[in-house]
Amino acid sequence: MKSILEDFKVAFSTGNILNQLIVINVVVFLFFGVIGVFMTLAGESQLYSDITRYLMLPAAPEKVILQPWTLITYFFFHKGFFHILWNMLFMYWFGRLITDYLGQNKLLSLYVWGGIGGGLLYLLIYNLLPFYAPMVENSYLLGASGGVIAIVVGAATFQPNYTVPLIFLGPVKMKYIAAFYVVVSFLQSTGPNAGGEIAHLGGAFMGYLVISQLQKGNDWSKPVVNFIIWVKSLFKPQPNIKVSYR
């Protein structure tokens, strides 16, 4: 176990934002997964569900007001193994393209703006369209899919003709992969995972917007990076200032 923890520390301390995002998601998943097993065995599964709701984004506006942090925390929290597996694989595959061509800050920007955009569209659609009205009270959003599809669409916006080798299909251009992802999400937006699919669409839009703005000279990564630097500064000890009196 110690060596595994050390591997996580090394991956996180390399300064590689792609690795860091994956590590954060995996660690949060494992931590709450283990807690969930123990609490379920102890007969406290309902308490566990209540606790995890404080990390998920609720559709009901009155709940969002009471826990606004969930607009961020929801896209670092997963419950299902295959849910996090596919999200992390897609983030790794397409995130490498972004970091190679545009740098790590642009990857972080896409992930964060995609997550926020996915969450906001989810809130708007669920509270504006009558079809979703019966679901609002008990609906919660979780998972990194909005941020991940922002990375996919962002990569396709920047390098639409870049080819990716796919099993059984061979080389496929990025623009077709992104288009397929978006169309499928739209077609499933009234299905059992409607909230997640809507978040995909919001993330896709933000991925396109972030990169298209970057191509026009507007770098949306700056406020994200500045915010992260500010948060890190809160946990760094401040140097002692010596004052001399004369």
Side-chain angles (χ1 to χ4, degrees):
M1 179 62 71
K2 183 178 179 181
S3 62
I4 295 176
L5 292 176
E6 289 175 350
D7 288 342
F8 273 114
K9 289 179 181 179
V10 170
F12 195 81
S13 62
T14 58
N16 186 308
I17 289 177
L18 178 58
N19 286 348
Q20 291 176 357
L21 288 173
I22 293 173
V23 168
I24 291 172
N25 276 280
V26 171
V27 168
V28 171
F29 171 74
L30 292 175
F31 175 79
F32 282 98
V34 170
I35 295 297
V37 170
F38 281 113
M39 293 187 71
T40 300
L41 291 174
E44 297 292 348
S45 58
Q46 183 58 51
L47 177 59
Y48 172 73
S49 296
D50 293 340
I51 292 173
T52 55
R53 283 196 185 101
Y54 285 96
L55 296 174
M56 299 185 288
L57 180 63
E62 65 274 12
K63 295 179 182 178
V64 177
I65 292 174
L66 295 177
Q67 47 189 82
W69 60 86
T70 56
L71 185 59
I72 302 295
T73 58
Y74 93 86
F75 55 84
F76 289 99
F77 180 61
H78 299 78
K79 282 191 174 181
F81 172 73
F82 287 104
H83 188 199
I84 189 172
L85 174 64
W86 289 114
N87 274 341
M88 295 304 100
L89 285 175
F90 269 78
M91 178 153 36
Y92 179 74
W93 291 332
F94 296 100
R96 290 179 61 185
L97 180 62
I98 294 295
T99 55
D100 288 346
Y101 282 92
L102 297 176
Q104 299 185 61
N105 289 345
K106 305 303 184 292
L107 173 72
L108 178 63
S109 173
L110 283 167
Y111 183 75
V112 172
W113 285 120
I116 292 174
L120 290 176
L121 185 64
Y122 159 76
L123 291 173
L124 286 173
I125 295 297
Y126 261 58
N127 288 281
L128 292 178
L129 297 186
F131 174 80
Y132 301 98
M135 312 174 197
V136 170
E137 190 61 30
N138 296 311
S139 292
Y140 291 82
L141 183 65
L142 71 157
S145 302
V148 171
I149 195 172
I151 293 171
V152 175
V153 173
T157 303
F158 180 70
Q159 290 282 2
N161 294 316
Y162 184 92
T163 57
V164 177
L166 297 181
I167 299 175
F168 305 123
L169 296 177
V172 179
K173 292 182 179 180
M174 275 295 308
K175 59 186 178 183
Y176 298 126
I177 296 174
F180 175 79
Y181 207 163
V182 171
V183 170
V184 169
S185 294
F186 176 76
L187 294 177
Q188 296 181 339
S189 61
T190 56
N193 185 37
E197 304 299 342
I198 291 170
H200 292 173
L201 298 175
F205 174 73
M206 292 303 296
Y208 167 77
L209 190 61
V210 167
I211 297 301
S212 62
Q213 285 297 306
L214 180 64
Q215 292 170 331
K216 295 177 181 178
N218 301 317
D219 187 356
W220 286 24
S221 69
K222 291 180 180 178
V224 175
V225 173
N226 289 338
F227 177 76
I228 297 297
I229 293 174
W230 176 75
V231 171
K232 287 183 177 180
S233 70
L234 298 178
F235 299 94
K236 289 183 179 179
Q238 299 298 317
N240 294 325
I241 300 176
K242 295 182 180 180
V243 179
S244 299
Y245 297 94
R246 295 183 181 181

